[in-house]
């Protein structure tokens, strides 16, 4: 009897709300698996995966700066916890590098549930945002490069529209020499190549190989770009909207006071009637305010320790959060970190 009434209710709902049946079956857009850029231009993306130690970050940033080369760093939550200042250094370095999500604990995503994958991504995103004020979206790199359709669906649903693999693996994590790294990269780079390297002390050959790698590729006419530049993705500062059940392009355009044609053009949409639930649309002509850096108070924290962590004064931190008693903060309290 119970299941009979559930079926009757479902039929009534679908008859009253036609979109209801659609929402039950519509899938969010899966993340696109990318191994290289589709281009004939001589551009290459240098990418660095950051693990728990990040021992070579300072050297790598220095080399990139001295050669005016942009790169993309895929960050882990574990790494951000272990070396938060180095993560900040990546985010504020010159030239401007891109950051992406590489999970929190570096597990094999093909062995996780969708909920576990989402948790890994969201925890890392929250931590990186609290440190840098920047998002890791829309790019994700799977730990160990392990991916399948279930992984792509889950990470796409979490807002990571591109899962970034590579077409050149330096295997630097094996501790190979700089000469061996160069031999794997320089002769094999083609337009649109994505090169995989690592930031840890377990890859000592990378900072040694990097200056020569850059100079040799420049001599071949290559320019260095971020992943977003390589794939011509919208800037991370652009405002986006994730399509929901019942949405139309007209409705979304009206919501943001832009024309339907401008919205369609910004997202390469040729059929105004065809948008998908979970699709992430760029809103033309909009830029959100800079992200606010926040910190969630943990057991053992003091206002002084938090202020020191972020390089601000206790007075400024207290003022920004309207705290009158600097000795009174609560676990779980979210503090705004003053600029």
């Amino acid at each position: 009897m119970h299941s009979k009434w559930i079926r009757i209710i479902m039929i009534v709902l679908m008859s009253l709300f036609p979109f209801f049946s659609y929402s039950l079956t519509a899938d969010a857009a899966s993340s696109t698996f990318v191994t290289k850029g589709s281009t004939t231009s001589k551009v290459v993306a240098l990418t660095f995966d950051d693990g728990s130690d990040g021992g070579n970050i300072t050297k790598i940033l220095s080399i990139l700066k001295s050669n005016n080369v942009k790169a993309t760093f895929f960050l882990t939550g574990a790494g951000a916890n272990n070396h938060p200042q180095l993560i900040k250094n990546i985010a504020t370095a010159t030239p401007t590098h891109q950051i992406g999500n590489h999970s929190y604990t570096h597990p094999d995503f093909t062995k996780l549930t969708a909920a576990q994958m989402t948790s890994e991504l969201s925890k890392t995103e929250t931590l990186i945002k609290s440190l840098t004020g920047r998002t890791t979206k829309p790019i994700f790199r799977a730990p160990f490069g392990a991916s399948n359709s279930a992984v792509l669906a889950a990470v796409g649903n979490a807002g990571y529209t591109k899962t970034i693999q590579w077409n050149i693996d330096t295997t630097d994590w094996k501790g190979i020499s700089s000469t061996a790294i160069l031999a794997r990269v320089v002769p094999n780079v083609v337009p649109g190549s994505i090169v995989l390297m690592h930031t840890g002390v377990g890859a000592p050959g990378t900072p040694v190989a990097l200056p020569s790698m850059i100079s040799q590729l420049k001599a071949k006419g290559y320019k260095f770009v971020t992943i977003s530049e390589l794939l011509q993705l919208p800037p991370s500062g652009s405002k986006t909207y994730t399509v929901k059940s019942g949405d139309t392009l007209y409705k979304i355009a009206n919501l943001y006071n832009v024309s339907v044609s401008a919205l369609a053009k910004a997202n390469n949409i040729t059929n105004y009637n065809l948008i998908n639930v979970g699709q992430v649309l760029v809103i033309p002509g909009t830029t959100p305010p800079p992200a606010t850096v926040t910190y969630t108070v943990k057991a053992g924290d003091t206002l002084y320790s938090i202020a020191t962590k972020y390089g601000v004064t206790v007075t400024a931190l207290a003022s920004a959060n309207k705290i009158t008693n600097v000795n009174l903060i609560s676990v779980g309290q979210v503090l705004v970190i003053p600029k």
Side-chain angles (χ1 to χ4, degrees), residues 180-248:
I181 291 172
L182 289 170
R184 295 185 69 88
V185 177
V186 177
N188 297 310
V189 164
V190 295
S193 279
I194 298 174
V195 182
L196 169 64
M197 291 175 278
H198 295 81
T199 64
V201 293
T206 292
V208 180
L210 199 53
S212 182
M213 183 189 302
I214 292 169
S215 63
Q216 289 186 52
L217 291 177
K218 281 184 176 180
K220 287 187 168 191
Y222 279 91
K223 294 182 179 180
F224 299 88
V225 295
T226 64
I227 290 295
S228 279
E229 290 172 332
L230 179 66
L231 303 180
Q232 297 184 321
L233 301 177
S236 59
S238 300
K239 189 171 185 61
T240 60
Y241 177 83
T242 303
V243 177
K244 301 177 179 62
S245 294
D247 279 339
T248 64

Side-chain angles (χ1 to χ4, degrees), residues 22 82 111 117 161 172 180 201 209-210 218 243 249 280 286 314 335:
Y22 174 71
N82 289 343
K111 298 179 180 178
M117 287 186 256
T161 58
D172 58 350
V201 293
L210 199 53
K218 281 184 176 180
V243 177
L249 211 60
V280 179
T286 60
V314 172
L335 301 179

Side-chain angles (χ1 to χ4, degrees), residues 310-331:
Y310 287 96
V312 299
T313 66
V314 172
T315 302
L317 184 58
S319 176
N321 294 277
K322 298 180 180 178
I323 295 172
T324 54
N325 184 345
V326 295
N327 296 311
L328 186 60
I329 55 174
S330 306
V331 172

Side-chain angles (χ1 to χ4, degrees), residues 15-287:
S15 64
L16 292 174
F17 305 102
F19 66 85
F20 184 79
S21 59
Y22 174 71
S23 68
L24 292 176
T25 56
D27 293 323
S30 290
S31 183
T32 303
F33 188 78
V34 178
T35 57
K36 65 181 289 292
S38 179
T39 180
T40 56
S41 299
K42 282 194 167 185
V43 291
V44 57
L46 301 182
T47 69
F48 298 89
D49 289 1
D50 183 45
S52 59
D53 71 79
N56 286 327
I57 288 176
T58 300
K59 291 179 182 178
I60 290 169
L61 289 177
S62 177
I63 294 166
L64 295 175
K65 180 178 180 178
S66 63
N67 288 277
N68 194 31
V69 166
K70 300 176 189 176
T72 301
F73 290 80
F74 288 93
L75 309 177
T76 61
N81 265 326
N82 289 343
H83 44 265
Q85 187 57 53
L86 292 178
I87 301 302
K88 293 181 189 179
N89 292 348
I90 292 172
T92 58
T94 304
T96 302
H97 306 300
Q98 185 174 9
I99 56 175
N101 199 318
H102 194 39
S103 82
Y104 199 88
T105 60
H106 205 269
D108 182 338
F109 267 42
T110 63
K111 298 179 180 178
L112 302 184
T113 65
Q116 288 171 327
M117 287 186 256
T118 301
S119 175
E120 285 276 335
L121 294 169
S122 62
K123 284 171 63 181
T124 300
E125 166 76 352
T126 299
L127 179 55
I128 297 302
K129 264 192 173 180
S130 74
L131 291 173
T132 69
R134 292 170 58 184
T135 181
T136 59
K137 296 178 182 179
I139 59 171
F140 162 71
R141 172 165 282 163
F144 312 106
S147 185
N148 56 26
S149 60
V151 172
L152 295 177
V155 302
N157 193 42
Y160 292 88
T161 58
K162 305 294 178 184
T163 295
I164 309 301
Q165 197 79 346
W166 54 84
N167 70 311
I168 296 180
D169 185 356
T170 61
T171 66
D172 58 350
W173 57 272
K174 293 181 178 179
I176 62 175
S177 68
S178 60
T179 302
I181 291 172
L182 289 170
R184 295 185 69 88
V185 177
V186 177
N188 297 310
V189 164
V190 295
S193 279
I194 298 174
V195 182
L196 169 64
M197 291 175 278
H198 295 81
T199 64
V201 293
T206 292
V208 180
L210 199 53
S212 182
M213 183 189 302
I214 292 169
S215 63
Q216 289 186 52
L217 291 177
K218 281 184 176 180
K220 287 187 168 191
Y222 279 91
K223 294 182 179 180
F224 299 88
V225 295
T226 64
I227 290 295
S228 279
E229 290 172 332
L230 179 66
L231 303 180
Q232 297 184 321
L233 301 177
S236 59
S238 300
K239 189 171 185 61
T240 60
Y241 177 83
T242 303
V243 177
K244 301 177 179 62
S245 294
D247 279 339
T248 64
L249 211 60
Y250 175 81
K251 178 181 175 182
I252 299 167
N254 189 55
L255 179 65
Y256 289 97
N257 196 30
V258 297
S259 69
V260 174
S261 59
L263 183 59
K265 182 178 179 182
N267 294 278
N268 298 317
I269 295 172
T270 54
N271 185 342
Y272 289 10
N273 297 312
L274 186 59
I275 55 175
N276 302 312
V277 172
Q279 184 176 353
V280 179
L281 301 180
V282 176
I283 309 302
T286 60
T287 303

